[in-house]
Amino acid sequence: MKTTLFYRFYKQKLAFFGLLIFCLISLCGIYAPLFTSGMPLLIVYKTKLYFPLFSHLFYKGYFSKSIDLFFNLLMFFLPLFFLIQFCLKKNLRKIAYLTTIFLFLFIFSFILKGAVKNPAHLPSEEWYHTSALLPNKTKALIVGQLLQKEKRNRDLISLLETKGYSYQRDTMDPKKKLWLQVQQNHVSLIVFPFIKLYHWEENAYGQQEINQILPWYHTTRLNRKDLVAGLIFGIRPCLMTGIASIALALLLGITFGTISGYFGKNIDLCCARFFEIWEAAPTFFILLLITSLVHSKSIFLVIFILGIFTWTRFAQFIRAEVLKQKALPYVTAAHNIGFSHFKIMTSEILPNALFSIITLIPFAMIGAISQEAGLSFLGLGEENSSSWGVLMDEARHAFPLESYLLWPPACLLTCMLVSIALIGDGIRNCLDPKFRIE
Amino acid sequence: MGHYLFKRLLLLPLTLCIILLLNFAILNLAPGEPTTQMDLSATGEAVGTQKSSSTNDPYILFRQHYGLHLPIFINRWPLIKKSKLLQALSQLHTQKKDSSELNYSHYQNLKRGWRDRGKYIPKLLFEVLEGDLDLPLKIEALNLLVNSGIRCGYQSSFLTNKQKLENQKISKNNLFLSTQSLLKTADQNAFETNLHALKQWAEANQLLEPYSFSQKIHILFTETRFFCYFSKVLRLDFGTLRNDSNKKVTHEVFKRMKYSIVLCAFPLLISFVLCQFFGILMAYFSNRWIDHGLSIFFLVLYALPIFVVCPFLIEKIALHHHFFFSKIPIPLSGFHSSDEIYHSLLSYQRLKDISLHILLPLLASLYHCLAVQSRISKTAFLEALSQDYIKTAKAKGLKTSYILYNYVGRNAGITIITSLTTSIGVLLSGSLIIETLFGIDGFGKFFYSGVLNRDYHVILFSTLLGSFFSVTGYLLGDICYASLDPRVRFT
């Protein structure tokens, strides 16, 4: 009978279900532009293939938040990581991972500086008069964008007519419309994004009256941006906070914990007192303080502060583990052979101590995601971000007229947190030697 | 154990001191203008306004009240060198720093900073004024001298005679000095006359004597923000509110503390009782439907964030609905009814009124604690139930209830109590959102509005109180742990 870790995890149906939900949500979040964006994915114009969305993926003018650009790049690198994990041999894997990570950071730094120019650069306002002079690619991109706008207007109007509400949203210049109708004949195939046809940062022109009539998945937020697009793109800051702040906390916690546990006596005494003092500082209060003092609000500040204040938990845990391990004879043997302190810490003690910290990580992630959503809810996170806390904050302001906006982000946040908690429970049961698989 | 307890009790004030120091450093070293005032709107968000930073009296008074006119840790201003002064004068005059334009806020900061420094270097300023310099720079130096001499008097409802005399002297000085400042376009004659008058004034007030060594040491340590604040703290004087200087911070906080304590202590007690019940249920019937159902239920409760539950309770349950089997409408906000109604009620009616009002907030602060404690107690009971001595006791024929009470309960209780005491600090910070949304005038809301107003005294005292509760919680947990488990020995 197989007794590997993954098999033990897989056998617990609930935990596996949690892992599935989490993977589903994070894939949705990483590949979010495919599900909801303002450009079609594929357009065949004059028998040539063009990809409007992919041309705009790294363009800073379209995706203005750097988190979006990060995840857009990750969209392409994720299959690469999977390939490395499952197809390469073990020796090559480390080098392959390192090279891909360096490549990723290199390309990301270029994108951040604004290396990608506007793919659909228009020379003047009334461009459709001289449209014959534009290159085919620009025409294809623009035609695709306008066709998408037409389609979503048509869908909205037909939906509202079934509810008995007549709605006019005709904002296009008639000459432009004529030009579009001519160009439409050149288009043989167009593929729209799968779920919604709005980009989360663009104005969806919703109104309060029609919001009351429509079902929740067609409504707009308080600032008139699309709700579902905001929800899907809101997975990105959530994931980023969960992983990045815990990574920072782990880094600090493991370093300080190992140092404190390994070199006993005086250093241990000072470090243990330092952990106590840092832990006793009330995190939420100091969080509020720092975010309100520093005037530039950004998500990286939030991640930094969350990481800075959760490392003590890991440090105390690791310190206890390292103290236990240090008493075992293999450490004395390693010392006698002549290994340096650093080598003993990293290759002998840490692999055994880290094993039990895996159970702490999911619950720490839940705490970090909750706190980030809480900070955005209070208005101290990044402004105009798609984070779920910001959505819930807007809904709270609209109480009680448009307060139905509160429930979709709340449900999604709860689903995410519950799935991570299920994974955490599953891992804890896996590693518990007394747990029996039925 | 007494020795360990003694060491921990010694450590308590040390921890609090270091936390206070940390907060003080963060507040003072952080960028941002202290006069930015943000208001708390009705829905609990932060709306910002900026007060004008000029030389008007309330602003100077504000700076003096908080000691912002002094340096933070040590005061080396009496030792400023002449070259530095000359450099500053040229920067102030030309409004340029290393040939790049200073923007407005930097220029204001520079002006303010040198105005504070000017108080300690009158002799140097006079040296500069009588030396060889261009006229514009000399005018700049004269204005600096005049502005740094202007002080704020004592402002309070009750002044002693000594303070009144001081105020008279200060106002005479201020009156004289305000006539002596010069425009930048003044000519040499006006400058000469003003300089002469100022020199006479300075000699009359004994400003030109150099500082003795002991005076310098005294200034070095005691005329700093650090010393100002901490000398007051050691006398347990935590300052007054920023907007209303008659109200003391400690008084305001303790006035609101009773609401927050009720919202924190009752959930703790209730969840302590309930979690043991649920824990035994889940552990005894482990891996059956009850266990799975309750586990999932508590998992969902654990993952629900509080700012989702509060609006849900307010909107879906409280709004337009009544309590079960009665016609009483569920109150939406507040700790008790409005003051007129509350004061006219008898004591048992008051109790009923309060309990109706805090039912929903209690629920909101209870659910998370209950979920966490139930999970922990389930683990504790499971571990105790799987021990060998339980099997022996069952084999001997003891009753199940006897085993559960005597053997399992005592051994599992240790873990449960320690986890309960360590969650005191968490509860206090969680009460912030509940108070804001339910409109209860409690400690969390007060602290939050203090943070938005940048009321330094309130912030420092509140963080101190919060960490005091956390540290006490940990200490209590350790004491309980040591006293309940005879195997634990602290070396």
Side-chain angles (χ1 to χ4, degrees), chain A residues 85-147:
Chain A
Q85 177 65 26
F86 292 116
C87 297
L88 282 186
K89 287 195 197 154
K90 218 167 185 178
N91 326 347
L92 291 175
R93 260 187 231 166
K94 229 190 210 177
I95 307 175
Y97 268 129
L98 278 173
T99 39
T100 36
I101 290 177
F102 271 121
L103 195 67
F104 182 87
L105 290 171
F106 188 65
I107 300 180
F108 186 56
S109 62
F110 269 118
I111 293 177
L112 267 188
K113 282 190 202 156
V116 177
K117 303 279 189 302
N118 190 354
H121 180 68
L122 295 168
S124 67
E125 263 300 315
E126 311 255 307
W127 47 266
Y128 37 86
H129 285 307
T130 56
S131 69
L133 299 173
L134 289 173
N136 265 345
K137 183 174 179 202
T138 323
K139 274 198 272 193
L141 296 180
I142 295 173
V143 165
Q145 214 171 342
L146 291 175
L147 280 176

Side-chain angles (χ1 to χ4, degrees), chain A residues 336-353:
Chain A
N336 286 339
I337 295 179
F339 283 169
S340 68
H341 287 305
F342 183 69
K343 192 162 168 72
I344 299 181
M345 280 199 281
T346 50
S347 39
E348 308 284 338
I349 297 187
L350 265 190
N352 295 316

Side-chain angles (χ1 to χ4, degrees), chain A residues 1 23 39 71 104 108 123 126 148 187 204 238 284 304 313 315 317 325 388-389 398:
Chain A
M1 189 176 92
C23 284
M39 309 257 173
F71 275 96
F104 182 87
F108 186 56
E126 311 255 307
Q148 181 158 340
V187 174
C238 178
F284 192 65
F304 176 70
R313 210 163 143 196
F317 200 76
Q325 295 287 327
W388 289 326

Side-chain angles (χ1 to χ4, degrees), chain B residues 89-383:
Chain B
L89 284 175
S90 66
Q91 275 177 7
L92 280 173
H93 174 64
T94 57
Q95 298 195 15
K96 278 200 187 124
K97 184 173 180 166
D98 304 331
S99 75
S100 63
E101 273 290 332
L102 280 178
N103 69 12
Y104 185 66
S105 64
H106 287 163
Y107 175 65
Q108 289 283 53
N109 281 343
L110 196 65
K111 221 164 72 163
R112 255 200 308 267
W114 278 98
R115 197 175 301 149
D116 299 328
R117 287 179 174 95
K119 187 175 144 196
Y120 295 94
I121 45 168
K123 192 162 189 296
L124 188 64
L125 274 173
F126 272 109
E127 235 180 74
V128 161
L129 282 170
E130 286 162 2
D132 286 327
L133 268 187
D134 299 332
L135 189 61
L137 286 180
K138 278 196 186 177
I139 293 178
E140 205 61 51
L142 190 83
N143 283 336
L144 196 70
L145 181 65
V146 161
N147 283 327
S148 59
I150 294 181
R151 304 279 155 81
C152 250
Y154 296 99
Q155 294 199 358
S156 152
S157 318
F158 309 103
L159 291 172
T160 63
N161 278 333
K162 191 169 154 209
Q163 285 176 334
K164 285 185 189 167
L165 278 174
E166 277 282 330
N167 274 358
Q168 276 180 354
K169 214 167 71 170
I170 290 177
S171 67
K172 239 197 323 193
N173 273 342
N174 285 356
L175 199 64
F176 168 69
L177 283 174
S178 53
T179 58
Q180 298 300 316
S181 69
L182 283 176
L183 293 175
K184 288 195 181 175
T185 51
D187 61 341
Q188 183 77 11
N189 286 332
F191 174 73
E192 293 283 323
T193 38
N194 280 5
L195 182 60
H196 192 64
L198 275 174
K199 190 90 189 262
Q200 278 184 327
W201 170 80
E203 272 162 15
N205 286 338
Q206 294 137 13
L207 282 179
L208 289 179
E209 292 161 5
Y211 287 117
S212 65
F213 184 67
S214 64
Q215 266 183 332
K216 278 194 205 161
I217 296 281
H218 186 256
I219 291 178
L220 185 75
F221 288 114
T222 58
E223 300 222 357
T224 58
R225 291 188 214 172
F226 179 73
F227 185 79
C228 251
Y229 186 72
F230 278 94
S231 60
K232 287 196 201 143
V233 165
L234 285 175
R235 279 178 263 155
L236 294 181
D237 170 19
F238 286 100
T240 57
L241 289 187
R242 166 174 153 159
N243 297 329
D244 188 349
S245 60
N246 284 332
K247 296 191 184 161
K248 295 183 108 174
V249 167
T250 44
H251 180 66
E252 289 295 305
V253 166
F254 287 130
K255 197 167 75 169
R256 292 173 166 83
M257 207 54 176
K258 56 183 188 241
Y259 303 125
S260 297
I261 293 267
V262 167
L263 276 183
C264 293
F266 274 114
L268 218 59
L269 291 171
I270 297 176
S271 67
F272 175 62
V273 171
L274 281 181
C275 80
Q276 294 185 53
F277 171 66
F278 284 123
I280 292 188
L281 210 66
M282 291 205 286
Y284 196 66
F285 299 109
S286 75
N287 286 330
R288 290 199 214 157
W289 280 112
I290 293 185
D291 177 34
H292 284 306
L294 277 178
S295 287
I296 299 180
F297 177 63
F298 285 128
L299 197 73
V300 172
L301 276 189
Y302 171 68
L304 275 177
I306 195 158
F307 42 89
V308 161
V309 169
C310 282
F312 175 77
L313 283 176
I314 293 180
E315 199 189 331
K316 297 285 185 223
I317 297 188
L319 205 57
H320 304 312
H321 287 121
H322 297 265
F323 278 117
F324 288 128
F325 310 119
S326 72
K327 294 253 176 77
I328 314 169
I330 303 183
L332 278 176
S333 73
F335 199 74
H336 47 69
S337 317
S338 58
D339 278 336
E340 304 96 48
I341 306 178
Y342 186 68
H343 287 306
S344 65
L345 294 172
L346 301 170
S347 56
Y348 70 90
Q349 282 173 334
R350 283 190 191 181
L351 196 66
K352 188 177 166 196
D353 187 42
I354 289 183
S355 59
L356 281 180
H357 272 90
I358 62 169
L359 190 68
L360 285 181
L362 256 180
L363 261 179
S365 58
L366 173 67
Y367 79 93
H368 190 261
C369 193
L370 186 65
V372 168
Q373 294 302 324
S374 298
R375 285 155 63 83
I376 291 180
S377 85
K378 175 199 170 187
T379 325
F381 279 117
L382 210 57
E383 199 179 321

Side-chain angles (χ1 to χ4, degrees), chain A residues 31 38 79 97 120 128 136-137 148 163 175-176 217 256 273 299 315 318 323 339-340 382 392:
Chain A
Y31 287 95
Y97 268 129
Y128 37 86
N136 265 345
K137 183 174 179 202
Q148 181 158 340
K163 307 265 177 180
K175 287 190 207 156
K176 206 172 178 182
Y217 41 88
F256 281 113
R273 298 287 83 81
I299 195 168
I318 288 268
L323 281 174
F339 283 169
S340 68
E382 189 172 6
M392 288 195 268

